[in-house]
Amino acid sequence: MANPIVTDIYTADPATLVVDGTAYIFTGRDEAASGQQQFVMREWHAFSSRSPSNDPAAWQHHGAVLSLNTFAWAGANAWASEVVQGPDGRFYWFVSVDGRTDNGWMNIGVAVADHPLGPYRDAIGGPLISDATPNSSALNIDPTVFSDDDGEIYLYWGSYWEPRAVRLRDSMTALDGGVFEPAGLTGFWEAPWLFERNGVSYMAYASNSGTDCVTSSSYACIRYATANSPAGPWTHRGVVLGQVSSTTNHPAIMQFGDQWFMVYHTADAPGGGNFRRSVAIDQLFFNTDGTMRKVVQTP
Ligand code: FUB
């Protein structure tokens, strides 16, 4: 058995975290019925492994550790998310959710817990990012958060070709300055993932343009860019993951020991589809000059 690593439920929009020798994958759950052509997503699940690989047996399923119910102001759509450890050692789960009172537009909320697996509570009591945030994205989804060596914390997010970035305060729950449009993320569509390696900042993101990326206008690949700082400006480096079998594509990247992995989703599970996606994991390799080799999708 290999990819996808979860087949008893449909899972999408993976986010990774490594803490004390344990790798975590946090995912949304696709609950669309067979043939239903829309996202039905209400909760986020967690999986952990002390020896990550594409063997499903390597992963323990911890169930739904966060749901829309945690956010009293959220209406629907438990979309893409990321969990990061804050300066206070606690775990902050940044999520994309619909509001109840803003015509259903997506927002970014934050939950907090003392352990990666929770229990989580709403850290703010309202959205951190919404349409009311000056200069926000056309669609405020897909948060990724990273703290650099200087302790500066950056939140990136966005969709519909509108990446956005802002510094966060150490509290992880308040903006530190204005929202800006990061330069150089060529072909950005959505799903940014920010990380650092050997002092270089990397941004992987879903793109749906370019002949090196798509063979059908509704499909997406994963591009990446590098920068000297998590604030950019970014230099586009090319495609790191080609099209997958689902129309959406969504990367998470983690280092575990001396190995690197990309986690993403496909429509490859039995009964799968664009709204019944499944998480897959493959190894990621870097060239000596720091560029990334294209990920080989293993079945
Ligand atoms: O799963 C819902 C949305 O589809 C995510 O927020 C996007 O990244 C795309 O995967």
Side-chain angles (χ1 to χ4, degrees):
M1 281 286 286
N3 283 323
I5 55 172
V6 182
T7 50
D8 54 341
I9 60 170
Y10 295 105
T11 52
D13 302 327
T16 51
L17 175 73
V18 177
V19 180
D20 296 335
T22 298
Y24 295 90
I25 299 177
F26 302 92
T27 77
R29 178 181 182 183
D30 274 339
E31 296 188 74
S34 178
Q36 192 176 3
Q37 296 300 306
Q38 67 181 66
F39 292 123
V40 181
M41 304 180 78
R42 305 182 183 95
E43 61 194 27
W44 296 269
H45 284 238
F47 302 82
S48 71
S49 175
R50 304 278 297 177
S51 180
S53 75
N54 67 1
D55 179 357
W59 294 94
Q60 183 183 355
H61 186 185
H62 300 279
V65 288
L66 185 66
S67 82
L68 290 171
N69 295 334
T70 300
F71 305 96
W73 49 273
N77 291 328
W79 285 10
S81 71
E82 182 174 341
V83 182
V84 293
Q85 193 163 18
D88 62 0
R90 296 196 293 172
F91 297 90
Y92 291 84
W93 198 332
F94 292 77
V95 300
S96 318
V97 289
D98 265 346
R100 286 181 195 272
T101 58
D102 55 358
N103 300 318
W105 289 108
M106 297 298 289
N107 307 271
I108 293 172
V110 189
V112 63
D114 293 329
H115 186 275
L117 296 175
Y120 283 89
R121 62 174 177 78
D122 188 350
I124 301 176
L128 174 67
I129 300 287
S130 71
D131 283 351
T133 306
N135 196 29
S136 66
S137 174
L139 191 61
N140 292 307
I141 62 170
D142 295 4
T144 182
V145 174
F146 182 77
S147 174
D148 75 3
D149 289 342
D150 301 330
E152 292 187 346
I153 306 164
Y154 287 89
L155 164 67
Y156 278 70
W157 76 99
S159 184
Y160 284 96
W161 309 284
E162 290 192 0
R164 292 293 186 267
V166 70
R167 267 185 67 175
L168 295 184
R169 294 190 187 280
D170 283 354
S171 68
M172 306 293 273
T173 56
L175 308 188
D176 186 3
V179 172
F180 61 96
E181 183 174 356
L185 298 179
T186 303
F188 178 94
W189 165 243
E190 62 183 11
W193 182 267
L194 176 58
F195 69 100
E196 205 171 76
R197 177 181 180 271
N198 293 343
V200 177
S201 297
Y202 288 77
M203 183 75 75
Y205 53 94
S207 172
N208 60 3
S209 60
T211 52
D212 57 339
C213 174
V214 291
T215 54
S216 147
S217 60
S218 60
Y219 275 56
C221 69
I222 301 300
R223 295 186 181 280
Y224 81 102
T226 59
N228 293 327
S229 144
W234 297 92
T235 301
H236 174 244
R237 300 290 181 190
V239 173
V240 62
L241 177 70
Q243 277 191 17
V244 291
S245 51
S246 53
T247 49
T248 57
N249 204 336
H250 195 110
I253 292 172
M254 69 173 170
Q255 180 179 19
F256 191 88
D258 57 4
Q259 291 184 306
W260 286 81
F261 295 93
M262 179 180 282
V263 189
Y264 54 99
H265 64 223
T266 70
D268 291 346
N274 292 332
F275 304 98
R276 289 155 69 96
R277 299 161 293 178
S278 297
V279 165
I281 178 169
D282 278 304
Q283 271 193 267
L284 176 66
F285 297 96
F286 291 83
N287 297 309
T288 49
D289 64 0
T291 54
M292 292 199 268
R293 293 190 207 157
K294 207 164 171 181
V295 170
V296 176
Q297 293 180 48
T298 56

